[in-house]
């Protein structure tokens, strides 16, 4: 793979909206991605393997629980810093960002928000340091966009719960020590349970042959009469709103992360357009190629403004789930379109692993599907503005 020469575009001087702390946090993440991710990521994506050696680096840059309070091992940062870290990591690879998103927003967040003090103290510091990795089990083979239909269930057996069912498409599942699992009790109410590797009847087979997010491990969670201790139930929130609250936090991170992937594709295509000579000129001198680049930087700038404004509202606690949906949907769509255009600008070289673009392009096919598909987020916006439910 070519050396990482990335220079971040900032067409509207958005750095003026950031604090010194934001810029320091971003720089640390950017330097780490250049040093520890870019040189190895193509090889790991090619062999479809998660590079476990980067876990400690992710912890060091604050990617595990950026906004979780320091007393629980988190970085105690604000939402914009969280977003900037996700942007920088996804600039390297969406699969690596997925690992960090799951750990922070889908595992640490519910334990912090819905757990009790003993659970916070037991799990959060180990998850923040990367000593333990976590996964989040919501999706099932027959229930993806409609998680409320889930059939995974648990029964009260007096001194423990008995958990049965299966989850599918679970990021980090093959190596996670801890799974936050959403299941229905005997009354059909959804609760979160912390399931640990090693519990009898719990297995995590890996999902192979993915053409997307190849550097992220994906698997199933199988529960065959798993005895879960009663103290592993998250006591402070139940119902579908509990997992959806976690998804809000993760989707917000994705809205920033997708900008990173788009910036990397744009920056690569811009540099290539000045170096690649055809018909005696750099291809960047042709109007058709300039149109692509001009539209890319326009869309990136709009996405940056959307993410920054959403971050300000998240810091104030006023961002709605529907506003987060809009940013996730728009920014991932923006990134996937830019990846496709940038790929074409590199001609044949665009399909090789010499450049990051094809990997970003394939990764974004998952990002546009998970955490609510592109169409589901449109329906969320539609419901929000009309008050009319078009889901069913
Ligand atoms: C690589 C990867 C990692 C993932 N990681 C996780 C994870 O860590 N944890 C987890 O719980 N899940 C995870 N997922 C699952 C992901 O969230 C689901 O794939 C996603 O929610 C879509 O569900 P589905 O695949 O079952 O598609 P379906 O729900 O079957 O949807 C199929 C199509 O139908 C459309 N559709 C569905 N309902 C409607 C409707 N009402 N109106 C119009 N169109 C509709 C959808 O938009 C989609 O285009 C992951 C997925 C992938 C690919």
């Amino acid at each position: 793979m070519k050396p990482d020469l990335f220079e971040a575009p900032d067409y509207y001087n958005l750095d003026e909206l950031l604090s010194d702390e934001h810029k320091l946090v971003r720089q640390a993440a950017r330097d780490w991605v250049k040093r520890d991710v870019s040189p190895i990521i193509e090889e790991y994506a090619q062999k479809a393997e998660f590079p476990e050696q980067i876990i400690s680096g992710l912890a060091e840059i604050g990617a595990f629980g950026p906004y979780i309070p320091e007393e629980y091992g988190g970085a105690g940062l604000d939402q914009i810093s969280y977003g900037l870290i996700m942007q920088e990591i996804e600039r390297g690879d969406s699969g690596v960002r997925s690992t960090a998103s799951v750990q922070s927003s889908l595992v640490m967040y519910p334990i912090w928000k819905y757990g009790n003090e003993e659970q916070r103290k037991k799990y959060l510091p180990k998850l923040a340091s990367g000593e333990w990795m976590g996964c989040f089990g919501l999706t099932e083979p027959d229930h993806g966009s409609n998680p409320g239909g889930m059939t995974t269930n648990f029964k009260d057996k007096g001194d423990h719960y008995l958990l049965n069912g299966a989850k599918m498409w679970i990021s980090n599942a093959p190596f996670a020590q801890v799974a936050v699992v959403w299941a229905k009790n005997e009354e059909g109410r959804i609760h979160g349970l912390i399931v640990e590797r090693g519990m009898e009847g719990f297995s995590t087979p890996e999902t192979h042959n993915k053409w997307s997010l190849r550097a992220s491990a994906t698997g199933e969670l199988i529960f065959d009469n798993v005895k879960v201790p009663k103290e592993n139930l998250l006591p402070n929130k139940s119902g579908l709103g509990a997992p959806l609250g976690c998804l809000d936090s993760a989707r917000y991170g994705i809205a920033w992360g997708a900008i990173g992937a788009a910036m990397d594709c744009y920056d690569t295509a811009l540099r290539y357009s000045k170096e690649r000579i055809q018909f005696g000129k750099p291809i960047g001198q042709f109007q058709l190629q300039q149109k692509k680049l001009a539209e890319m930087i326009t869309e990136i700038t709009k996405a940056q403004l959307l993410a920054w404004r959403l971050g300000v509202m998240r810091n104030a606690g006023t961002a709605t789930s529907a506003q987060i949906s809009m940013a996730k949907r728009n920014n991932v769509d923006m990134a996937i379109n830019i990846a496709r255009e940038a790929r074409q600008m590199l001609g044949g070289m665009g399909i090789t692993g010499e450049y990051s673009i094809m990997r970003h392009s394939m990764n974004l096919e998952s990002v546009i599907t998970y955490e609510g598909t592109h169409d589901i987020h449109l329906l969320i916006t539609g419901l929000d503005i009309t008050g009319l439910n078009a889901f069913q």
Side-chain angles (χ1 to χ4, degrees):
M1 197 180 160
K2 296 265 183 208
D4 184 352
L5 302 172
F6 176 69
E7 284 175 45
D10 182 14
Y11 201 70
Y12 262 36
N13 301 331
L14 293 171
D15 269 14
E16 290 175 10
L17 299 171
L18 303 179
S19 67
D20 288 343
E21 183 178 63
H22 293 147
K23 286 185 241 178
L24 277 174
V25 164
R26 183 183 61 186
Q27 195 60 48
R30 189 169 290 171
D31 291 346
W32 176 76
V33 167
K34 271 204 180 186
R35 194 186 65 232
D36 287 359
V37 178
S38 299
I40 57 128
I41 196 64
E42 181 64 30
E43 181 196 336
Y44 278 82
Q46 292 279 1
K47 58 184 183 186
E49 202 179 304
F50 172 69
E52 292 197 23
Q53 70 272 28
I54 66 171
I55 287 177
S56 58
L58 281 165
E60 273 162 33
I61 62 164
F64 296 155
Y67 52 81
I68 301 284
E70 286 169 288
E71 60 175 307
Y72 300 118
L77 297 167
D78 76 348
Q79 289 289 311
I80 295 201
S81 288
Y82 162 43
L84 288 166
I85 293 173
M86 295 300 117
Q87 172 188 286
E88 295 305 316
I89 298 175
E90 192 147 3
R91 207 279 298 171
D93 188 79
S94 304
V96 178
R97 199 269 309 136
S98 300
T99 295
S101 286
V102 169
Q103 183 87 342
S104 297
S105 292
L106 302 181
V107 180
M108 296 178 73
Y109 178 88
I111 293 173
W112 175 46
K113 281 285 175 187
Y114 314 147
N116 58 32
E117 198 53 22
E118 291 80 65
Q119 291 167 337
R120 289 186 199 118
K121 287 197 174 124
K122 177 176 177 190
Y123 295 103
L124 293 178
K126 286 198 165 72
L127 291 163
S129 68
E131 186 182 337
W132 283 353
M133 294 301 291
C135 67
F136 172 89
L138 180 65
T139 306
E140 298 187 349
D142 294 330
H143 300 93
S145 299
N146 175 26
M150 69 174 67
T151 57
T152 299
N153 65 86
F154 63 97
K155 292 191 169 56
D156 191 334
K157 293 289 178 185
D159 62 342
H160 64 269
Y161 296 119
L162 200 63
L163 179 65
N164 277 290
K167 300 287 177 180
M168 194 178 177
W169 295 119
I170 308 305
S171 303
N172 299 357
F175 57 76
Q177 281 82 12
V178 176
V180 170
V181 176
W182 300 94
K184 284 181 178 163
N185 67 10
E186 282 143 293
E187 287 77 50
R189 180 119 187 123
I190 295 172
H191 287 267
L193 295 161
I194 306 172
V195 179
E196 294 182 30
R197 185 172 295 284
M199 287 181 177
E200 211 181 316
F202 175 43
S203 57
T204 61
E206 184 158 0
T207 303
H208 294 289
N209 300 332
K210 291 181 297 165
W211 284 115
S212 175
L213 289 194
R214 288 170 64 82
S216 158
T218 313
E220 295 166 57
L221 304 177
I222 314 273
F223 314 105
D224 180 10
N225 286 320
V226 181
K227 283 185 184 173
V228 181
K230 284 206 151 167
E231 64 262 26
N232 284 28
L233 182 107
L234 297 174
N236 295 332
K237 188 153 175 150
S238 62
L240 191 57
L244 293 185
C246 307
L247 293 181
D248 270 358
S249 176
R251 289 166 178 173
Y252 166 73
I254 294 171
W256 281 92
I259 297 171
M263 291 198 307
D264 198 48
C265 293
Y266 164 77
D267 181 61
T268 304
L270 177 63
R271 189 169 301 109
Y272 192 84
S273 77
K274 294 178 194 169
E275 292 166 357
R276 176 70 176 165
I277 309 292
Q278 287 296 288
F279 299 96
K281 291 177 186 171
I283 59 167
Q285 203 173 327
F286 298 119
Q287 286 184 0
L288 284 173
Q289 305 310 313
Q290 288 194 4
K291 177 174 186 288
K292 289 186 201 295
L293 291 166
E295 287 177 350
M296 284 182 206
I297 190 62
T298 307
E299 290 307 314
I300 288 171
T301 305
K302 284 152 67 179
Q304 286 172 322
L305 283 163
L306 204 56
W308 176 81
R309 174 66 190 147
L310 193 60
V312 171
M313 292 193 291
R314 291 272 297 170
N315 277 341
T318 59
T320 66
S321 300
Q323 286 167 333
I324 296 167
S325 276
M326 180 186 279
K328 190 270 185 185
R329 179 175 187 273
N330 180 80
N331 289 10
V332 178
D333 192 51
M334 171 281 299
I336 212 166
N337 290 330
I338 285 178
R340 186 154 191 272
E341 293 290 307
R343 214 284 314 143
Q344 290 188 51
M345 285 190 66
L346 267 71
M349 287 312 291
I351 69 152
T352 72
E354 285 292 294
Y355 295 90
S356 55
I357 297 176
M358 192 73 189
R359 179 166 43 80
H360 282 307
S361 188
M362 295 195 301
N363 281 342
L364 289 163
E365 292 292 339
S366 288
V367 182
I368 205 164
T369 291
Y370 69 22
E371 306 267 0
T373 68
H374 187 65
D375 288 341
I376 290 296
H377 286 298
L378 177 130
L379 295 179
I380 291 172
T381 306
L383 169 61
D384 196 45
I385 58 177
T386 65
L388 303 170
N389 186 347
F391 283 90
Q392 47 200 358

